[in-house]
Amino acid sequence: MSVLLALDIGLALLVFAVAARTVFARGAFEAVVDYVAYGLLLSIVWVRLFAVDVALTEAAIGGGVTGVLLVGAAARLRGAETVAAEESPSASLRVVAACLCLLVTAVLAGVVLLLPYPGPTLAPESARHLAETGLGNPVTAVLIAYRGIDTMLEKVVLVLAVVGVWSLAPDRFWGGAPGEARAAQPEPTLAFLAQVLPPIGILVGVHVFWAGADEPGGAFQGGAILAAMWMILMMARLTEAPPISALWLRLLLVAGPVVFLAAGVAGAVIAGGFFAYPPGLAKPLILFIETFMTLTIAVTLPILVAGPPRREPVE
Amino acid sequence: MISATQAGLIGAALVGLGLYGLITNPQPLRKILAFNLIGSGVFLMFGIIARKGAAAGFPADPVPQAMVITGIVVAFAASALAIALVLRLYEETGRVTLRPDAWTKPPSDGAGSE
Amino acid sequence: MIAGASADAATAGGGLLALPILLPVAGVLLSFLLGGRQAERIALVLAPVQLGIAIAIAALVWGSGRPVVYILGGFAPPLGIALRADGFSAVMLVTATLLMPAAQLFARASFATPRGTEKRAPFAFWTLLQAIQAALGIVFLGGDLFNLYVALELLTFAAVPLVCLDGRPETLAAALRYLLFALFGSVFYLLGAALLYGAYGTLDIILLSDRIRAEPAVWVAAGLMTAGLLAKTALFPLHLWLPPAHANAPAAASAILSGLVVKGSFVLIVRLWFNVLPALPSAIPGAILAALGSAAILAGSVLALRQERLKLLIAYSTVAQIGYLFLMFPLASGPWAADAWSGGVMQAISHAFAKAAMFLSAGLVAESLGHDRIRGLGGAGRAMPVTFFALGLGGLSLMGLPPSGGFAAKWLLMVATIEAGQWLWAIVILAGGLLAAGYLYRILAPALFGDSLPLEKPPQRSREVVALALALVAVLLAFAPHAFFVFLQIGRPAAMAALR
């Protein structure tokens, strides 16, 4: 046990150190790079907590896709650094903030240590109903079956984020495409990676999604991997983001929540309640919903990273 | 449960660290980073609660895990929206600041009309 | 407290409770997909349907005399999620489904979708407005704290882009601040919820109310969640984001933001303290909340007095009026609790209608005069009598003059504070009324006197009528029958306990 203990303590200290670098770094770009490293370390912490689904999600979305978003932003905002320097807070504000934050940390740590162990848990309940859903992965069961409406609403939140991001475009660009246009001569290294990685990535992504019914994995994790593959292609400028008025794009962006909503409403008719699943049909129906959710995630994440349209629409 | 307790302590430390970053960093991009730190700290708290709820053959309670997954996705969407706002503000004006008086227009023009 | 088992049993006809959520969600998704003119059409068609559903839910609650419960997916809490409608939820839902179509009708002139290609602002406007309706549906009916977290995020994502819809730098900055405050609120709300789950193994509101005891974890969770929700409700001193955000948004959006969106997080604070945490001794937290509320009333009103722009004045007035809502917290237990509860709810509703009327009128003023400077309003009242009448009627409710819903609300709160012997709040209510009269006088007096101003563009009569109708509703709330107040008590925990 002592090796694992040393690993855990070392990991905890490392995570804290990298997070501290993120907060105290001088430049925004350094802070962002530290944050990406932090995200990856965090996913290892999640594995140590035996929450592998979460570890996958943190690595893919928390560290990976958020990292791309932040790195891109930091690169574009380099010019804003010097202007903001004059607003640095005074030393007294820093001291007050530090005391407040130490207090918050201490209180939270105290509460954490006082939490009961073994704690109250819904694991037995989840296990009891798992057979009805036909799934083997309880986290997927919670996401799609027991608390399905939360997941459906979260997909709607993603759609809203897309609307919000798109609405920030100047009027003249509406209907155009975000991101950069295809490059006539893409940069060779990026182009090579973008040709080698996607086929593997797509296979891995589909597998992670499909296996999520019984093993750790699922729509979010698989969809994020697929999203990453599309993002690599766009970053290498081998392909460009579609115009936002494209019907197929809109269809893919809402396919997940629409199918989930339709299944939920159908549940009222065929299974006695909204978001209920008919016995026997639960697993196929869940996989059906998850398929479209994966597609939507795979399309939504790169679109959110690409940002508002930046080119005029072509007619 | 050593790893669970450690993760909880780290979670508490991250919340404090992130809060400090939020209060003291004037740049919006750094504030967004700080939010992500606080968020991941909160998720770690869920994580230790999940680990402490290991039962029925599962190594961790699945319900908090599902909540964290939902939370990670929502946090990403929030970051995307916030970043888009920051970038747009920068493109429009060449600077990014949250100071309220930076944008006051003189009252003699049609401010507020639409 | 109602026994956990009977409170969770689904009530007949409870499926209706899912519709205020699912229908607007369907509208949002369809609007996004079809875009263009369809978004506007879908929004306008669904709005009266949603009003009908809200009224049906109110009738269901009234008929059963107890909260209506619906369990989603067939999995009962603690594993699954329940929806719950009590008198408060039903009334807020009806208010929201009344304000939405009004704001939509008003906005048709500004956000009409032209034939042909889709335009940015109308598409975003109609989609986001429906999303607000969906989010409010969950906020009012949700029975699970994590479900309510998702609702809060939905509400924020729908509201923030509305603030910066016109793309000006100051609106972008205001939207960014709003988003940052809102994210701060959500993340600390979630942290508190995590602690509650860690202590009790459930996030269902009724189950928590049965299990919660006064422990350190609960106090910390309560503090964190309340702090987060106060940031979203813009209670002093976390109100800094609200005035620029609400003042610079398009008029119809401001009406919804001030009238409904800030009330969403307020409803959650009420749910938290009245439904989840009544086992905690609430004298001190209640007093703290009321103290902050009083500070909001005084500071907000004083700042409103000093504003130069009409919309900013109205936005600071929102900051002040939100303060009244928090005076109900120290009065939560005792024979005066029913009055305090009714007063708080009435304040939430009447403020929603009155403030919406004022923002819509201010929007008309700004369009017709080309500006919204208060100094330049001389004589505008003669040129736009209906608009200023609506403004004045809304102001009547804010001041708390009879007859108006605002008067009824403040009267109930005063009666409760005096019965409870907590005189301080009564003085604050009176002071707030006087200050409100002051800033309303500032805008109405020059407008009504002086020579009639030439208008760049006379306001459209139908839009004036919408604003006037909302103001009239705020006034007519004063004549709410006794049955209305009985209805409000349905589901209030102390009231239900007394029924046993």
Side-chain angles (χ1 to χ4, degrees), chain C residues 41-198:
Chain C
R41 285 206 189 116
I42 293 170
L44 290 172
V45 161
L46 285 183
V49 177
Q50 282 156 6
L51 178 58
I53 294 174
I55 294 177
I57 292 178
L60 195 61
V61 174
W62 178 244
S64 79
R66 336 153 40 88
V68 176
V69 178
Y70 182 72
I71 296 178
L72 284 167
F75 295 102
L79 189 61
I81 297 175
L83 298 175
R84 235 166 241 111
D86 58 9
F88 185 28
S89 322
V91 159
M92 291 303 295
L93 198 59
V94 171
T95 304
T97 49
L98 270 178
L99 267 180
M100 271 298 172
Q104 286 174 347
L105 286 173
F106 184 90
R108 289 192 71 194
S110 324
F111 292 103
T113 346
R115 282 192 176 284
T117 48
E118 178 183 76
K119 288 275 177 282
R120 177 192 67 96
F123 168 75
F125 181 79
W126 296 106
T127 313
L128 293 171
L129 216 57
Q130 293 183 75
I132 292 184
Q133 179 66 51
L136 288 175
I138 314 166
V139 166
F140 297 146
L141 299 174
D144 176 279
L145 291 179
F146 188 75
N147 197 7
L148 292 172
Y149 164 75
V150 180
L152 282 179
E153 293 294 303
L154 195 62
L155 197 55
T156 299
F157 282 35
V160 165
L162 280 175
V163 169
C164 58
L165 207 49
D166 63 0
R168 286 178 299 149
E170 55 267 25
T171 59
L172 289 170
L176 187 56
R177 290 182 91 201
Y178 180 11
L179 183 60
L180 291 178
F181 268 90
L183 290 179
F184 166 84
S186 325
V187 84
F188 279 92
Y189 172 89
L190 189 61
L191 182 53
L195 294 178
L196 284 179
Y197 185 88

Side-chain angles (χ1 to χ4, degrees), chain A residues 104 107-108 111-112 114-116 119-122 125-126 129 132-133 142 145-147 149-150 152-154 156-157 159-164 166-171 174 245 247 249-251 253-254 257-258 261 265 272-277 315, chain C residues 15 18-19 21-22 25-26 28-29 31-35 70 72-75 78-81 117-121 123-124 127-128 131 138 144 146-147 150 153-154 157-158 161 164-165 172 188 191 195 197-202 216-217 220 224:
Chain A
V104 168
V107 167
L108 282 176
V111 170
V112 160
L114 284 177
L115 280 178
T121 175
L122 287 173
E125 280 277 322
S126 319
H129 292 283
E132 288 169 38
T133 61
V142 174
Y146 307 148
R147 301 180 67 107
I149 193 171
D150 274 350
M152 194 271 297
L153 289 172
E154 176 215 339
V156 177
V157 168
V159 171
L160 278 192
V162 173
V163 173
W166 283 356
S167 76
L168 291 172
D171 278 324
W174 186 258
S245 49
L247 189 61
L249 177 64
R250 301 256 179 123
L251 204 54
L253 286 170
V254 294
V258 163
L261 179 65
V265 170
F274 288 111
F275 292 96
Y277 294 99
E315 283 312 320
Chain C
L19 294 183
I21 304 168
L22 299 181
V25 164
V28 168
L29 295 173
S31 300
F32 182 83
L33 181 60
L34 301 174
Y70 182 72
L72 284 167
F75 295 102
L79 189 61
I81 297 175
T117 48
E118 178 183 76
K119 288 275 177 282
R120 177 192 67 96
F123 168 75
T127 313
L128 293 171
I138 314 166
D144 176 279
F146 188 75
N147 197 7
V150 180
E153 293 294 303
L154 195 62
F157 282 35
C164 58
L165 207 49
L172 289 170
F188 279 92
L191 182 53
L195 294 178
Y197 185 88
Y200 299 106
T202 177
V220 173
L224 289 168

Side-chain angles (χ1 to χ4, degrees), chain B residues 43-105:
Chain B
F43 299 147
L44 274 181
M45 308 288 279
F46 267 111
I48 62 133
I49 288 165
R51 183 78 180 112
K52 289 195 177 189
F58 298 141
D61 185 351
V63 173
Q65 291 181 59
M67 292 179 181
V68 171
I69 293 178
T70 304
I72 292 177
V73 177
V74 170
F76 165 72
S79 301
L81 185 58
I83 295 270
L85 273 170
V86 170
L87 287 176
R88 180 90 179 97
L89 194 55
Y90 182 62
E91 282 169 16
E92 278 284 299
T93 63
R95 53 200 178 108
V96 190
T97 171
L98 291 173
R99 271 187 9 242
D101 52 357
W103 311 109
T104 9
K105 285 175 141 185

